[in-house]
Amino acid sequence: LEVTTSAGDAVRAYLTNHGLDSAIRVTFEGGGEPGFWQLVLDEPQNNDERLQIDDLLFIIDRRLAAKAGRIKVDYVDQGMY
């Protein structure tokens, strides 16, 4: 699991702005093709891989991580539409 600086900064800003202190779970919703990746607030479980980046804890289920291979979390501000 790789988290870019821009993604870490965006998550940190979100948590700070909402007064939250939580681990960030990387998860996959495959309810159809092609499915999509998402970040959700969650508590770490025993079967999770953990990636601590400064004050942020990213977690992902070990089975999902093994199945998915290399995962990169990034953030790009697209502005308003």
Side-chain angles (χ1 to χ4, degrees):
L1 179 62
E2 177 187 352
V3 179
T4 65
T5 300
S6 61
D9 290 347
V11 169
R12 187 176 293 105
Y14 178 86
L15 293 175
T16 299
N17 291 340
H18 292 87
L20 299 170
D21 180 26
S22 176
I24 301 94
R25 179 172 298 282
V26 178
T27 186
F28 183 78
E29 293 297 322
E33 287 297 323
F36 60 93
W37 292 92
Q38 62 183 358
L39 302 177
V40 296
L41 305 179
D42 199 4
E43 294 298 318
Q45 304 297 316
N46 290 336
N47 60 331
D48 288 334
E49 287 188 15
R50 300 165 186 229
L51 175 63
Q52 187 78 43
I53 300 176
D54 299 322
D55 56 334
L56 300 175
L57 177 60
F58 288 85
I59 54 177
I60 185 170
D61 182 274
R62 282 190 176 100
R63 293 169 295 180
L64 175 58
K67 193 177 210 181
R70 184 172 177 255
I71 300 169
K72 182 176 184 178
V73 178
D74 196 9
Y75 175 80
V76 178
D77 185 355
Q78 294 294 318
M80 298 191 63
Y81 290 92

